Amino acid sequence: MTGELNEAVAAAQAGDEEAFRFLYRSLQPALLRYLTALVGGDAEDVASETWLQISRDLPSFTGGEFRAWSVTIARNRAMDHLRRQRRRPVVPVPVQALTDLAADSDTADHAGEAIGTESALALIRTLPPAEAEAVMLRAVIGLDAETAGRVLGRRAGAVRTAAHRGLRRLAAMLERTAEGAPEQAGALPPETRDAAPPRPRTDRPAPHAPEAEPAEG
């Protein structure tokens, strides 16, 4: 994929519109998820600003990791947007398949597909911001730790650690959720399983209460 991107970048710099469309199709889905993590529902607008700057500055791009260059532009546009809106970044998040991501290996290498699902982008908003952004850059954008560190202005080891902790935290949340689910198909749903037993009715007579004797005239 990197080789194709490099070829497309060179062609786009030479004015090939189809090559630029290839760059857009290749990067836009991941950029949009990343921007959604930063600015929520305004991600489409910020992505548009990002691509406008990419198209304007592309002739001056001198090589290196094009994805990192693009995501740096996207992040700068997102930070500008947040400053204009006077609000802090949020990470809206959904997740379903992260229970196996907390292995001892570099979990970010295996997380891209799972985090790319719509359900995996509602839990990431619960992570500390540094962990959330590291997870997005490593698992969604696909940057290595060194490149992600350059984007964030942090050491590669710090980014790797933040992404690993974030994925482990997500996996732990999912595990707790799974443990709380009914174990058998016939088990009561959560809303009824812990409900108090019904209280006996008190508005009817006891079953064997004697009938009252008729009053004598």
Side-chain angles (χ1 to χ4, degrees):
M1 183 63 172
T2 300
E4 288 182 283
L5 282 179
N6 290 340
E7 292 177 7
V9 168
Q13 286 179 313
D16 187 332
E17 294 183 4
E18 183 58 37
F20 188 84
R21 283 193 287 270
F22 173 80
L23 294 176
Y24 178 85
R25 290 193 301 268
S26 299
L27 298 181
Q28 171 69 355
L31 276 181
L32 194 57
R33 288 194 293 269
Y34 173 66
L35 288 170
T36 299
L38 295 179
V39 300
D42 295 331
E44 291 275 3
D45 292 338
V46 177
S48 296
E49 295 177 11
T50 298
W51 283 103
L52 283 173
Q53 183 174 345
I54 289 174
S55 65
R56 185 179 67 244
D57 295 350
L58 186 59
S60 63
F61 176 68
T62 57
E65 172 59 84
F66 182 76
R67 288 176 304 172
W69 182 73
S70 300
V71 80
T72 299
I73 293 175
R75 188 174 191 269
N76 289 340
R77 296 289 67 76
M79 295 302 106
D80 289 344
H81 178 82
L82 292 170
R83 281 191 288 269
R84 289 195 301 268
Q85 297 296 321
R86 296 183 180 180
R87 68 185 185 200
R88 57 182 298 181
V90 295
V91 182
V93 186
V95 174
Q96 290 297 338
L98 296 178
T99 52
D100 296 328
L101 296 182
D104 291 334
S105 61
D106 190 353
T107 54
D109 291 341
H110 309 290
E113 186 174 346
I115 299 231
T117 64
E118 192 56 31
S119 75
L121 279 178
L123 278 185
I124 300 180
R125 81 185 298 170
T126 65
L127 294 176
E131 292 180 10
E133 197 166 6
V135 167
M136 295 298 292
L137 288 178
R138 298 278 281 122
V140 176
I141 302 297
L143 302 182
D144 59 40
E146 289 75 15
T147 305
R150 288 195 294 272
V151 171
L152 298 175
R154 303 173 63 194
R155 296 190 307 275
V159 172
R160 190 178 292 108
T161 298
H164 185 72
R165 286 177 177 171
L167 291 170
R168 287 182 65 87
R169 200 186 301 267
L170 290 172
M173 283 189 251
L174 288 172
E175 187 176 350
R176 288 195 297 271
T177 301
E179 287 174 352
E183 294 183 0
Q184 300 178 2
L188 292 175
E191 61 268 23
T192 59
R193 188 173 62 246
D194 299 326
R199 301 173 68 179
R201 292 182 57 181
T202 57
D203 57 349
R204 59 186 178 191
H208 302 295
E211 297 183 1
E213 295 290 335
E216 295 182 359

